[in-house]
Structure formats: C-alpha cells, structure tokens
Amino acid sequence: PLRELLAAAQWKQADGETYRLMLKIAGKQETACLDIESFEKFPCNDLQMIDQLWTTHSNGNFGFSKQKQIYQRLGGSKEYNQNIWNSFGDSMGWRRSGRWLEYNECWQTQPPLAVFCRVEIDIEGWDILRQWFCRSRESAMLFATLVSRLSDCGL
C-alpha cells in the first residue's frame, strides 16, 4: 500500500501508512506510539526501504534521509535544543509564523518539505489524532534518536 500511495503522490495518505507500517514493524498496537526504544531497535533494512520509497517517489524531496540532512545542517544532535527544534519545524513546513501547525494545516497549501508532521489514524469510527513529531521536548528527543539510528543504518 505504501508504494502505491507514493506512486500516486498521495503524500498525506502515505504519511499515515508509513506510521502504521512502522508501528507494525516495531511490534506496537495501532493505537500506540513509537518511543525511543522503538527507534533504537528499528531494523535498518526497514528504515532503508521506507526512506528509499519516499526518496524515489518524491524525486528526493521527502524521506528520512532528507529530514536528517536538514536537521543536522541546522545543528541538530541528540541533545535537545528548542531553537534548533523550532528552526527544524520551520524548515519542514510544520510551523508557520512561529506557530506549530495542526496535522491538516500541514497539507493545505503544499506538502511539508518532509513527512511526519503528525499522523491521523481512524480507529473504529473515531478520529484519533496521533502525535508523531510536534512541539514537545520529548518529540525532539524521539526525532534525534531516529536521526542517530539513521546514521547507524548508513542513511
């Protein structure tokens, strides 16, 4: 399903499918969240496959490797820094005019520069807004862990 959504440039739907796929790979329930331990142990071959799909179908505009490149260019590391996190959010299109956007706002004019503003999952008829990477210190630390894992995996 992810490949088909990406081939059709259905970025928002592919964003949600990527999150669901990552939960499945991490052995998490669909209502769960990915945590630091999930990212530290996430299989390299799966990260590489997901990144390659996004990178290929977006002509290099989207994907984990793109996010990592921008985050590190801004000075991002495993250490939390609010200014860097905010700059990263600005660069991704997850913030506008100094404000973190809601998930649907990220997709209103054009897709954000990279995926995972936030993910909406519909479970049993209820709309559940699943926080992916947003404003908090914990989210920044989760992302930093993902960036570290990407480096470990050669991405």
Side-chain angles (χ1 to χ4, degrees), residues 100-154:
W100 288 92
L101 303 177
E102 296 297 322
Y103 182 72
N104 284 325
E105 290 178 290
C106 291
W107 305 92
Q108 285 176 351
T109 55
Q110 63 181 6
L113 179 59
V115 296
F116 301 134
C117 172
R118 295 193 215 177
V119 175
E120 279 184 84
I121 301 173
D122 184 56
I123 300 171
E124 298 176 7
W126 292 93
D127 289 325
I128 296 175
L129 190 61
R130 188 63 40 228
Q131 300 277 332
W132 175 242
F133 298 128
C134 56
R135 313 170 199 24
S136 72
R137 176 187 173 112
E138 181 180 342
S139 297
M141 291 170 30
L142 283 171
F143 187 78
T145 303
L146 174 60
V147 166
S148 177
R149 185 63 181 155
L150 293 168
S151 292
D152 293 345
C153 295

Side-chain angles (χ1 to χ4, degrees), residues 21-87:
L21 179 61
M22 291 182 74
L23 284 172
K24 183 178 179 180
I25 292 167
K28 301 276 187 184
Q29 300 264 342
E30 194 166 294
T31 56
C33 293
L34 292 168
D35 54 21
I36 288 175
E37 184 179 354
S38 299
F39 286 127
E40 289 174 338
K41 295 179 178 180
F42 207 89
C44 288
N45 59 334
D46 292 316
L47 279 176
Q48 290 165 341
M49 181 266 310
I50 292 168
D51 182 64
Q52 182 178 16
L53 285 171
W54 274 96
T55 301
T56 299
H57 290 287
S58 70
N59 295 318
N61 290 315
F62 302 137
F64 294 135
S65 55
K66 180 71 170 185
Q67 291 176 321
K68 176 188 167 202
Q69 174 189 31
I70 294 167
Y71 182 71
Q72 290 180 330
R73 186 188 75 226
L74 293 168
S77 67
K78 269 198 133 176
E79 299 300 317
Y80 176 72
N81 181 302
Q82 183 67 47
N83 291 331
I84 290 171
W85 186 241
N86 287 341
S87 294

Side-chain angles (χ1 to χ4, degrees), residues 87-100:
S87 294
F88 180 68
D90 293 338
S91 296
M92 294 297 99
W94 300 346
R95 282 173 32 112
R96 288 196 194 116
S97 302
R99 182 180 71 83
W100 288 92

